[in-house]
């Protein structure tokens, strides 16, 4: 193996930010103007009956209704040489709004129909006496036509647009840091990268495990399994500094990373261990021998129970956030869900048509599980384990290698292999793409998320680890994570 890391070199790729262009609003074609005079209504006989008979109206005042409607009919426009013609005494927005309202209520054919002036309206215009009031309402700033539509039917009135949609959150398209990871294996069934709650990244390279401190960028060699063994999986305990290492000879080693000391070695599997998952003091290990072993590190025995059900190698394991359910995926195209006490799966999902390695529980909704299939499947599927139902399916177009959910927003990220090697950020439940990130030249087989939930690290057979700022912070969607802000450049991890 190569000896210690080469010095840092700052070959920082400049992030590329997508340019957002706002569409220009095209004003609608001219519509026929409707002569309207907003004015007070003369009292009718019906109103007279409703008013106290002892109350006499003043003949010199105009009676207004209970609605606040401006009356322009009595304005003395001649005093300041202001015309009161139907074309100029009405602002354009009122006519446009009336046209849009008719189109929304009665269809596009009614947009250009001008309602006739009834004899009552003509009489009301003539009845209003002149007044010294010379003020009138007029819109000084011409508003965009989309703001006048009462219902926003773009297909009803040609040329009218909705108000602009809020621009999606910007996700940097380039990694803020790249680590060289020599001997990082290109094997779909392994899980060689994990990020601890103490902000330390563990990476399995060949027969060694290296630790990278995200705060100090310090690299530490944790262990060397020797020439006859190799690392197949790594997994941090939920709290503390214990790291589990699954090996190719079917053993699990527990290490205290703070002291770089091995605590114990547990056996039980006959073949390599490619998947590990912690639940408090319980550790689950999945192997090529098709079994899952439940290990209590406090107990003297190597394992306390054995879960059987898969017909091929177990390559995906994830405990739910409440530690009550364990999801497992295998090379038999099966997704199983186990409870704390079962030795047989309580739920079986067989819809995938390829190996199921990518598994992620939602931190936002209890029982919501996402899974991804391999090259022959390419789909991300969502399940409700509470109701035992299949919710939805999304064809991604590429082999799904990993899934992880953001704990800050209702979004998730997927990494892919054949044939596009891309990283996609999705918004759930619409499954709209927020960003597609590229840069790896091999399958993106490994994925882990930082403890603050803002940064992900991806690993591939191109022997690089790339760090991306993809998720917002819990408080602000524009705040850059502390990890990404302080450590730039390209380094060798060993």
């Amino acid at each position: 193996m190569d000896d210690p890391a080469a010095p840092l070199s700052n070959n920082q790729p400049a992030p590329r930010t997508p340019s957002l262009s706002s569409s220009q609003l095209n004003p609608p074609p001219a519509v026929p103007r409707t002569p309207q005079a907003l004015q007070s209504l003369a009292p009718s006989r019906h109103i007279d009956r409703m008013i106290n008979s002892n109350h006499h109206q003043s003949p010199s005042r105009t009676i207004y209704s209970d609605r606040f409607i401006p009356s322009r009919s009595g304005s003395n426009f001649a005093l300041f040489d202001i015309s009161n013609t139907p074309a100029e005494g009405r602002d354009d927005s009122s006519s446009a709004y009336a046209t849009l309202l008719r189109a929304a209520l009665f269809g596009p054919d009614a947009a250009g129909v001008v309602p006739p002036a009834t004899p009552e309206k003509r009489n009301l215009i003539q009845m209003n006496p002149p007044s010294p009031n010379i003020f009138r309402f007029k819109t000084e700033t011409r508003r965009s036509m989309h703001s006048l539509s009462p219902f926003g039917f773009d297909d009803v009135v040609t040329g009218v647009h909705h108000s602009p949609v809020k621009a999606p959150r910007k996700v940097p398209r380039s990694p803020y840091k790249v680590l060289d990871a020599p001997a990082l294996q290109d094997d779909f069934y392994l899980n060689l990268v994990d990020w601890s709650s103490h902000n330390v990244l563990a990476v399995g390279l060949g027969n060694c495990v290296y630790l990278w401190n995200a705060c100090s960028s310090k690299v530490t060699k944790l262990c060397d399994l020797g020439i006859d063994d190799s690392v197949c999986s790594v997994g941090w305990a939920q709290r503390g500094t214990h790291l589990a290492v699954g090996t190719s000879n079917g053993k699990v080693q527990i290490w205290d990373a703070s002291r770089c000391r091995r605590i114990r070695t547990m056996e039980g599997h006959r073949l390599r261990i490619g998947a590990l998952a912690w639940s408090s003091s319980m550790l689950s290990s999945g192997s090529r021998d098709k079994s899952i072993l439940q290990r209590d590190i406090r107990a003297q025995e190597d394992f306390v129970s054995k879960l059987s059900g898969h017909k091929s190698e177990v390559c995906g394991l994830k405990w739910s956030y409440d530690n009550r359910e364990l999801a497992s995926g295998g090379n038999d195209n099966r997704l199983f869900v186990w409870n704390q006490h079962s030795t047989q799966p309580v739920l079986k999902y067989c819809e995938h048509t390829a190996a199921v390695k990518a598994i992620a529980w939602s931190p936002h909704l209890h029982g919501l599980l996402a899974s991804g299939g391999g090259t022959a499947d390419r789909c991300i599927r969502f399940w409700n384990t509470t109701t035992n139902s299949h919710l939805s399916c999304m064809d991604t177009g590429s082999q799904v290698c990993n899934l992880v959910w953001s704990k800050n927003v209702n979004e998730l990220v997927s990494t892919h292999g054949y044939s596009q090697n891309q990283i996609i950020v999705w918004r759930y439940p619409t499954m709209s793409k927020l960003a597609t990130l590229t840069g790896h030249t091999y399958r993106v087989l490994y994925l882990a998320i930082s403890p603050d939930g803002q940064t992900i690290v991806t690993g591939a057979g191109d022997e690089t680890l790339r760090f991306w700022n993809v998720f917002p912070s819990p408080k602000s969607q524009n705040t850059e994570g502390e990890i990404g802000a302080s450590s730039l450049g390209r380094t060798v991890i060993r």
Side-chain angles (χ1 to χ4, degrees):
M1 304 310 301
D2 294 339
D3 280 7
L8 285 168
S9 59
N10 295 324
N11 297 328
Q12 167 60 19
R16 300 187 300 272
T17 304
S19 58
L20 300 176
S21 60
S22 58
S23 59
Q24 299 296 330
L25 295 175
N26 297 323
V31 295
R33 297 184 174 180
T34 305
Q36 295 178 349
L38 297 178
Q39 57 190 9
S40 62
L41 300 177
S44 63
R45 293 181 179 178
H46 177 70
I47 296 177
D48 290 338
R49 289 194 299 269
M50 296 176 62
I51 301 176
N52 191 340
S53 59
N54 295 327
H55 176 72
H56 300 282
Q57 303 174 8
S58 173
S60 62
R61 297 187 59 186
T62 302
I63 302 301
Y64 295 91
S65 67
D66 59 345
R67 297 176 59 193
F68 183 75
I69 302 176
S71 176
R72 301 189 183 93
S73 59
S75 300
N76 189 1
F77 295 100
L79 183 61
F80 283 85
D81 197 20
I82 300 176
S83 174
N84 191 27
T85 60
E88 297 180 8
R90 177 196 73 252
D91 64 24
D92 294 338
S93 61
S94 298
S95 174
Y97 181 84
T99 303
L100 291 171
L101 182 60
R102 283 196 302 275
L105 295 176
F106 306 109
D109 295 336
V113 177
V114 179
T118 62
E120 294 181 357
K121 288 185 177 180
R122 287 195 295 266
N123 293 335
L124 288 174
I125 296 174
Q126 296 174 1
M127 286 174 58
N128 287 323
S131 167
N133 176 22
I134 54 91
F135 298 103
R136 62 174 178 172
F137 292 92
K138 184 173 178 62
T139 304
E140 298 297 337
T141 304
R142 191 177 295 272
R143 291 180 292 170
S144 58
M145 294 302 296
H146 65 76
S147 65
L148 300 175
S149 175
F151 301 104
F153 293 160
D154 287 351
D155 54 347
V156 173
V157 182
T158 306
V160 179
H161 303 275
H162 291 300
S163 57
V165 179
K166 183 180 179 181
R169 177 170 54 82
K170 295 180 181 179
V171 178
R173 295 313 202 261
S174 299
Y176 70 82
K177 187 175 184 64
V178 178
L179 291 177
D180 288 325
L184 185 60
Q185 297 187 57
D186 183 29
D187 191 327
F188 177 80
Y189 301 100
L190 306 186
N191 293 273
L192 297 176
V193 177
D194 197 20
W195 206 327
S196 79
S197 59
H198 290 269
N199 214 7
V200 178
L201 189 70
V203 184
L205 301 178
N207 54 6
C208 299
V209 175
Y210 290 86
L211 306 179
W212 179 77
N213 190 306
C215 298
S216 63
S217 295
K218 180 182 178 182
V219 177
T220 304
K221 182 178 179 179
L222 178 67
C223 66
D224 188 337
L225 302 181
I227 193 172
D228 296 327
D229 205 353
S230 63
V231 180
C232 296
S233 56
V234 294
W236 288 101
Q238 294 174 346
R239 295 177 181 85
T241 58
H242 288 170
L243 177 70
V245 179
T247 69
S248 60
N249 61 16
K251 296 180 181 180
V252 175
Q253 296 184 4
I254 307 297
W255 286 77
D256 184 348
S258 63
R259 295 183 289 175
C260 290
R261 189 175 66 133
R262 186 176 62 187
I263 298 175
R264 65 181 297 185
T265 300
M266 294 179 287
E267 301 184 355
H269 288 297
R270 295 179 290 105
L271 299 173
R272 72 179 185 183
I273 300 172
L276 295 168
W278 286 87
S279 169
S280 186
S281 60
M282 187 73 68
L283 172 64
S284 304
S285 60
S287 171
R288 183 178 268 183
D289 65 10
K290 310 173 189 177
S291 67
I292 300 171
L293 296 182
Q294 303 282 54
R295 310 173 186 270
D296 190 338
I297 61 173
R298 301 167 301 181
Q300 193 173 14
E301 298 82 13
D302 284 340
F303 61 92
V304 295
S305 63
K306 183 177 181 179
L307 311 184
S308 302
H310 283 287
K311 304 301 181 184
S312 188
E313 179 172 10
V314 179
C315 52
L317 278 179
K318 285 290 170 62
W319 278 96
S320 62
Y321 282 88
D322 58 7
N323 293 327
R324 294 183 178 180
E325 294 178 302
L326 173 67
S328 66
N331 197 27
D332 55 1
N333 309 346
R334 300 293 187 263
L335 174 67
F336 293 157
V337 178
W338 320 72
N339 62 28
Q340 295 170 304
H341 310 290
S342 65
T343 57
Q344 293 293 322
V346 294
L347 299 176
K348 297 182 180 181
Y349 300 121
C350 306
E351 280 76 0
H352 284 292
T353 57
V356 181
K357 176 192 178 185
I359 300 173
W361 291 93
S362 170
H364 309 290
L365 185 62
H366 175 73
L368 177 57
L369 176 65
S371 61
T375 307
D377 183 82
R378 305 175 305 180
C379 291
I380 299 175
R381 296 178 182 270
F382 295 91
W383 318 86
N384 187 331
T385 61
T386 303
T387 60
N388 189 21
S389 57
H390 181 207
L391 300 177
S392 61
C393 175
M394 169 63 68
D395 190 340
T396 67
S398 293
Q399 175 189 41
V400 184
C401 302
N402 294 280
L403 288 168
V404 69
W405 223 293
S406 168
K407 63 182 180 180
N408 302 334
V409 289
N410 201 13
E411 299 171 4
L412 69 159
V413 64
S414 59
T415 69
H416 300 269
Y418 303 124
S419 58
Q420 300 181 41
N421 305 330
Q422 78 272 42
I423 303 160
I424 303 177
V425 184
W426 308 86
R427 177 180 284 116
Y428 187 81
T430 61
M431 289 305 285
S432 56
K433 292 183 182 181
L434 290 175
T436 300
L437 311 175
T438 57
H440 285 291
T441 55
Y442 280 65
R443 297 180 295 174
V444 190
L445 297 177
Y446 310 112
L447 171 67
I449 189 168
S450 63
D452 65 3
Q454 299 181 61
T455 303
I456 62 168
V457 59
T458 56
D462 57 13
E463 299 185 342
T464 64
L465 297 172
R466 297 171 185 264
F467 295 79
W468 317 77
N469 284 322
V470 296
F471 294 130
S473 66
K475 297 180 181 179
S476 171
Q477 295 191 2
N478 298 319
T479 303
E480 186 180 15
E482 294 179 0
I483 301 170
S486 60
S487 52
L488 303 175
R490 183 160 179 151
T491 318
V492 180
I493 199 170
R494 68 180 217 178

